[in-house]
Amino acid sequence: MFKIYCVSLLFTLLFTSCVQNERLEIRLTPIMKNDTISNIPLHDAVRAKDINKVKEILSDGFLLNTQDKAGFTALHLAVRFDQYDIAEYLINKKVSVNTFDIYGDTPLLESMRNKTDNISKLLLCNGAKQDVKDRNLLSPLDYAKIDDNEAMIKILESSDIKSFCEEKEIITVQRVEEKSSTNNIDNETSIIELTLYDALKNEFHSDLVKWNAEIKEGSLIFRFKNTDMLFAHGSSELSSDYKIILDDFFPRYLNVLYNYKNEIEQVRIEGHTSSVYSSAKNENEKYAKNKELSTKRANKVVDYVSSIPNNFIIEHKDWLNDYVKPYGMASDKLIYKQGVEDESLSRRVEFVIIKKK
């Protein structure tokens, strides 16, 4: 009798917590471990911007709040791809609007960062929480202020958001046109470089901050800046966090590049180190040890991305094997600040596109 009582009490407590604590409920939704791109039908339909397919999949009983390996729900992706109609449909079907992905982002944080004001308003009018902050400790209101977005600031600072929801007008915010990302690129840079740069920026602009990455302006270099997050100190073994990033990054990166495959000579995955190696006895030994470490790291990255269980990677494995190559650069390309080596920034991994001449 006592055992039955305990089991009953445990079930009651768990059920009550799930009802009262939306975040706990979210954590219990299934996460599809093998998904990055092209493995979850609902997510694929959102990426394809196909609302009819979304409706068809959900009518077959697919779980609405399913999360992929990065923690994205279909709503996260609708926000990322600025698909208002799909987002509205998912919300009407009672999708959770406050799910956190593995980066600590809710759909509202993603929407504010991407400046999709209409979707931000839609989310707020349907229960999206404002008191959330991302990994950079920025809230939705912070992003509105950074962007000088008066319309969203007014909504977010209001004590009565519902009054804005009654308005039928679509939010229109006039912003100063952003400077072209190619303003500082040399005039002799080829059209293909400009096109590829813009394609990469468009694909990854909302991911760069949380990945501590950058796309070098005027070049075709995608740089992960924090090696300490990617590898344990002095090790060539990839961290679990870096594997998660690569699972999300590389299939999308390869997808962008494949559209320009006839223009690409090679894709180099370069491991870089600082000039420091504490256990080395002299400069030659420092360089040799850093060369060995950077080569091992580059090889590990290539081995890992080649084995990601993603349909696009599997289908184009031959191209990947032929064109994606590891390079250990040691301290050949140090990064300096004010004439002094920046040891932290010098330790990095770069994906470098070499175009055909």
Side-chain angles (χ1 to χ4, degrees):
M1 186 69 181
F2 178 72
K3 289 183 179 179
I4 295 174
Y5 171 76
C6 289
V7 171
S8 176
L9 178 60
L10 178 61
F11 177 82
T12 301
L13 289 172
L14 180 59
F15 178 79
T16 303
S17 297
C18 290
V19 171
Q20 293 179 345
N21 187 334
E22 186 178 6
R23 188 159 185 178
L24 176 58
E25 180 184 8
I26 290 165
R27 295 300 185 194
L28 295 177
T29 57
I31 295 179
M32 309 296 279
K33 295 295 183 184
N34 292 326
D35 177 72
T36 306
I37 295 178
S38 302
N39 285 314
I40 297 181
L42 180 59
H43 291 56
D44 284 351
V46 177
R47 288 188 180 98
K49 305 176 183 179
D50 188 341
I51 191 170
N52 291 325
K53 191 66 177 177
V54 169
K55 292 178 179 179
E56 177 187 332
I57 291 168
L58 289 177
S59 69
D60 290 338
F62 195 88
L63 294 176
L64 186 61
N65 288 314
T66 297
Q67 292 171 266
D68 64 16
K69 194 171 184 179
F72 300 145
T73 63
L75 184 58
H76 278 96
L77 294 176
V79 170
R80 281 186 158 218
F81 290 97
D82 194 15
Q83 293 298 295
Y84 182 94
D85 290 343
I86 292 178
E88 184 178 43
Y89 179 78
L90 293 171
I91 288 172
N92 288 338
K93 297 294 286 185
K94 306 303 181 186
V95 69
S96 172
V97 296
N98 290 306
T99 305
F100 287 83
D101 62 25
I102 63 170
Y103 305 108
D105 285 334
T106 63
L108 179 59
L109 283 166
E110 190 84 51
S111 182
M112 291 302 301
R113 191 183 298 118
N114 292 344
K115 307 173 188 177
T116 50
D117 296 345
N118 293 318
I119 293 181
S120 294
K121 179 182 175 183
L122 175 69
L123 292 166
L124 287 165
C125 290
N126 286 277
K129 295 178 180 178
Q130 303 176 56
D131 59 345
V132 289
K133 292 187 177 183
D134 63 13
R135 284 188 173 185
N136 303 305
L137 300 180
L138 295 175
S139 68
L141 181 58
D142 291 329
Y143 279 108
K145 290 180 176 179
I146 289 170
D147 195 38
D148 197 22
N149 188 336
E150 294 182 5
M152 288 307 303
I153 291 172
K154 186 176 181 181
I155 293 176
L156 288 162
E157 288 186 337
S158 173
S159 59
D160 184 18
I161 286 180
K162 290 298 181 183
S163 65
F164 292 91
C165 303
E166 296 169 1
E167 299 174 1
K168 294 184 179 180
E169 292 84 358
I170 295 176
I171 297 174
T172 56
V173 181
Q174 292 184 346
R175 296 190 179 91
V176 177
E177 189 70 22
E178 291 185 0
K179 293 182 179 179
S180 169
S181 61
T182 60
N183 279 353
N184 297 323
I185 298 178
D186 192 278
N187 291 331
E188 295 181 0
T189 303
S190 70
I191 296 298
I192 186 61
E193 284 180 317
L194 301 179
T195 306
L196 250 174
Y197 175 82
D198 285 339
L200 290 170
K201 186 176 180 182
N202 288 336
E203 177 66 31
F204 294 109
H205 72 279
S206 64
D207 301 299
L208 297 176
V209 172
K210 59 190 175 188
W211 289 347
N212 196 10
E214 63 181 344
I215 305 171
K216 290 298 292 177
E217 191 171 22
S219 70
L220 297 176
I221 297 174
F222 195 107
R223 175 181 293 168
F224 289 96
K225 296 186 287 185
N226 186 356
T227 308
D228 292 339
M229 181 185 75
L230 311 181
F231 305 91
H233 184 68
S235 170
S236 61
E237 294 301 319
L238 280 65
S239 70
S240 57
D241 285 343
Y242 191 28
K243 288 179 180 179
I244 290 172
I245 291 173
L246 289 174
D247 287 345
D248 187 14
F249 160 74
F250 192 73
R252 293 160 59 195
Y253 179 74
L254 195 68
N255 206 340
V256 171
L257 267 53
Y258 197 74
N259 293 322
Y260 305 91
K261 64 182 186 297
N262 294 330
E263 307 293 338
I264 294 174
E265 182 74 31
Q266 191 178 70
V267 180
R268 298 164 57 110
I269 297 182
E270 297 182 351
H272 295 262
T273 68
S274 68
S275 63
V276 176
Y277 204 102
S278 57
S279 64
K281 298 176 181 178
N282 53 54
E283 294 302 315
N284 288 338
E285 188 177 352
K286 279 183 186 178
Y287 183 84
K289 287 184 175 293
N290 278 324
K291 183 72 171 179
E292 180 183 8
L293 178 61
S294 63
T295 300
K296 285 182 178 179
R297 286 179 169 178
N299 279 312
K300 287 284 188 179
V301 174
V302 171
D303 289 344
Y304 184 80
V305 298
S306 300
S307 64
I308 293 174
N310 170 269
N311 288 348
F312 189 84
I313 289 178
I314 293 169
E315 291 169 7
H316 300 90
K317 182 63 70 71
D318 289 343
W319 188 85
L320 190 159
N321 291 337
D322 288 341
Y323 286 87
V324 179
K325 302 297 180 183
Y327 285 83
M329 304 300 292
S331 54
D332 288 342
K333 294 184 178 180
L334 298 173
I335 294 178
Y336 293 87
K337 282 190 175 180
Q338 297 179 339
V340 178
E341 177 188 347
D342 188 316
E343 294 178 12
S344 178
L345 289 180
S346 293
R347 295 190 292 267
R348 64 198 188 276
V349 174
E350 295 181 344
F351 289 70
V352 183
I353 301 168
I354 308 298
K355 68 180 185 67
K356 291 180 179 178
K357 296 181 180 179

